[in-house]
């Protein structure tokens, strides 16, 4: 069977998470000699290690069938690819920023100004929408130093915490897009490849569903069973098993870690004992 070719970033902010995601699907990647291509014995898959900027193009051209890339790159490159899954990591935003001491009035401030960016396409589209006429200075890196060296009055760049802006005495004035890692797909996959993609997405889905969910076991006095079950959500309904000691049962269920501390308090008040919380690797609903 022809493998599904998946492009991921070779090295950078996306590469570790991308490899982790594949590994969590129980697919072990064996890197080839030249380290540009990897394959697996666990799934018909071939991994191409590329620069993130090149991924939309390669997927559009069919060199790769799918790719893991930042939505920002997808929007900037504007190639014919389809976003088939949002992955929830590498979250960032693309924003306009200007020197801190400037009194900002609104997007019209940018009229006649120069804006430095590595994302000219997204920026131009935004400026057109806003009816702003500015000059775009395209540079490939260190965009944040542009105002300081007199290259531009403002910048349009990736922001996550905002720390880089502050250390360059800049302030964020407009958030233009929000981005996260996504899976993009070629739009003309064969039936076989589509099936492989579906299989892979299903595996990812089961991993993601388990994220944050914990398996909980506890001992409960029988007279409090009803009340305890009431506060335990579970997948369908909790499992209840009799304990050897009369009048007691063991309850098994699934809780989200966010709810755990609230639930835990109530459980103890109802007389629950021996509460165990165990990680869940995968969940199939
Ligand atoms: P390459 O050498 O592959 O071209 P790069 O330097 O262009 O790498 P990275 O800095 O590794 O790219 O960023 C890759 C992607 O990670 C970005 O396109 C964006 O989607 C996301 N990203 C970038 N900066 C941040 C950040 N500070 N926080 C969260 N995600 C980010
Ligand atoms: Zn890049």
């Amino acid at each position: 069977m022809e493998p599904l070719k998946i492009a991921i970033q070779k090295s950078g902010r996306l590469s570790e998470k991308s490899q982790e995601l594949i590994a969590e699907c129980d697919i072990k990647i064996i890197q080839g000699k030249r380290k540009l291509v990897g394959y697996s014995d666990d799934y018909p898959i071939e991994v191409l290690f590329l620069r993130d900027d090149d991924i939309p193009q390669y997927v559009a051209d069919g060199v790769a069938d799918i790719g893991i890339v930042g939505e920002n790159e997808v929007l900037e490159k504007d190639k014919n690819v389809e976003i088939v899954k949002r992955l929830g990591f590498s979250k960032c935003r693309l924003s306009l920023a200007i020197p801190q001491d400037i009194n900002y009035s609104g997007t019209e401030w940018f009229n006649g100004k120069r804006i430095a960016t590595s994302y000219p396409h997204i920026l131009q589209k935004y400026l057109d929408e806003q009816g702003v006429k500015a000059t775009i200075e395209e540079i490939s890196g260190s965009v944040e130093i542009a105002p300081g060296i007199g290259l531009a009055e403002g910048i349009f760049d990736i922001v996550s915490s905002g720390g880089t802006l502050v250390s360059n005495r800049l302030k964020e004035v407009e958030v233009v897009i929000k981005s996260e890692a996504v899976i993009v797909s070629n739009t003309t996959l064969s039936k076989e490849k589509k099936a492989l993609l579906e299989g892979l997405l299903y595996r990812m889905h089961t991993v993601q569903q388990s994220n944050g969910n914990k398996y909980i076991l506890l001992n409960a006095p029988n007279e409090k069973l009803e009340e305890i079950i009431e506060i335990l959500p579970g997948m369908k309904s909790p499992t209840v098993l009799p304990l050897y000691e009369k009048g007691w049962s063991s309850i098994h269920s699934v809780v989200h870690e966010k709810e755990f501390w609230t639930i835990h308090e109530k459980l103890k008040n109802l007389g629950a004992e021996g509460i165990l919380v165990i990680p869940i690797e995968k969940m199939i609903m």
Side-chain angles (χ1 to χ4, degrees):
M1 191 193 315
E2 221 198 307
L4 184 73
K5 288 177 286 182
I6 172 167
I8 64 172
Q9 192 187 24
K10 189 173 178 347
S11 68
R13 289 173 185 272
L14 293 167
S15 52
E16 204 180 297
K17 285 279 181 129
S18 305
Q19 294 187 38
E20 235 173 69
L21 181 66
I22 296 171
E24 281 172 348
C25 294
D26 295 329
I27 299 170
K28 189 174 178 311
I29 300 300
I30 304 152
Q31 282 213 333
K33 274 205 194 75
R34 288 170 59 230
K35 300 214 164 157
L36 296 172
V37 183
Y39 61 95
S40 179
D41 293 332
D42 309 319
Y43 203 80
I45 197 173
E46 198 175 286
V47 182
L48 311 177
F49 297 91
L50 301 169
R51 282 201 56 194
D52 71 335
D53 312 54
D54 297 333
I55 291 175
Q57 173 85 58
Y58 280 135
V59 171
D61 291 350
V63 174
D65 299 308
I66 62 170
I68 301 177
V69 67
E71 204 178 353
N72 52 312
E73 285 300 334
V74 180
L75 294 171
E76 178 60 28
K77 296 300 186 289
D78 204 9
K79 302 290 176 194
N80 183 27
V81 296
E82 186 190 345
I83 293 178
V84 293
K85 188 170 181 62
R86 316 182 68 82
L87 295 168
F89 59 82
S90 295
K91 286 195 175 168
C92 59
R93 51 195 191 270
L94 284 182
S95 296
L96 281 162
I98 62 172
Q100 278 168 1
D101 49 14
I102 286 176
N103 215 335
Y104 181 71
S105 49
T107 49
E108 66 277 6
W109 183 85
F110 287 98
N111 271 312
K113 301 284 197 313
R114 294 165 303 168
I115 308 169
T117 189
S118 320
Y119 296 92
H121 181 75
I122 297 172
L123 177 58
Q124 188 61 64
K125 210 171 147 219
Y126 178 74
L127 293 176
D128 290 348
E129 278 165 18
Q130 297 287 319
V132 171
K133 291 212 169 8
T135 307
I136 296 175
E137 301 288 348
E138 184 177 350
I139 54 177
S140 59
S142 307
V143 171
E144 65 284 353
I145 65 164
I149 60 171
L151 179 69
E153 283 73 41
I155 67 163
F156 176 62
D157 202 11
I158 289 182
V159 180
S160 61
S161 65
T164 312
L165 291 184
V166 171
S167 58
N168 285 281
R169 308 188 52 77
L170 298 171
K171 61 178 176 187
E172 186 176 10
V173 291
E174 304 287 347
V175 176
V176 175
I177 62 157
K178 292 209 167 126
S179 173
E180 65 187 276
V182 296
I183 298 187
V184 287
S185 168
N186 179 277
T187 54
T188 58
L189 290 186
S190 67
K191 232 173 88 190
E192 291 75 20
K193 294 233 166 141
K194 264 190 191 145
L196 288 178
L197 173 58
E198 285 309 316
L200 188 65
L201 292 176
Y202 181 70
R203 288 194 188 200
M204 288 178 182
H205 184 66
T206 63
V207 175
Q208 281 185 334
Q209 279 204 310
S210 68
N211 277 353
N213 279 310
K214 307 279 176 199
Y215 195 74
I216 181 170
L217 294 108
L218 56 94
N219 295 331
N222 284 348
E223 68 270 17
K224 296 285 185 193
L225 268 183
E226 300 271 325
E227 279 171 88
I228 288 179
I229 287 168
E230 193 114 319
I231 55 174
L232 286 173
M235 290 221 277
K236 238 194 185 109
S237 83
T239 307
V240 180
L241 302 167
L243 285 190
Y244 183 69
E245 190 179 327
K246 282 224 164 54
W248 283 78
S249 297
S250 165
I251 305 181
H252 302 200
S253 190
V254 173
V255 295
H256 198 273
E257 60 189 1
K258 279 192 193 143
E259 309 167 306
F260 176 71
W261 291 109
T262 350
I263 288 177
H264 151 267
E265 200 61 34
K266 293 182 189 158
L267 292 174
K268 289 195 76 171
N269 290 339
L270 288 167
E273 288 179 7
I275 303 173
L276 294 180
V277 178
I278 299 166
I280 297 173
E281 198 174 303
K282 294 189 182 61
M283 251 167 81
I284 296 158
M285 314 278 269

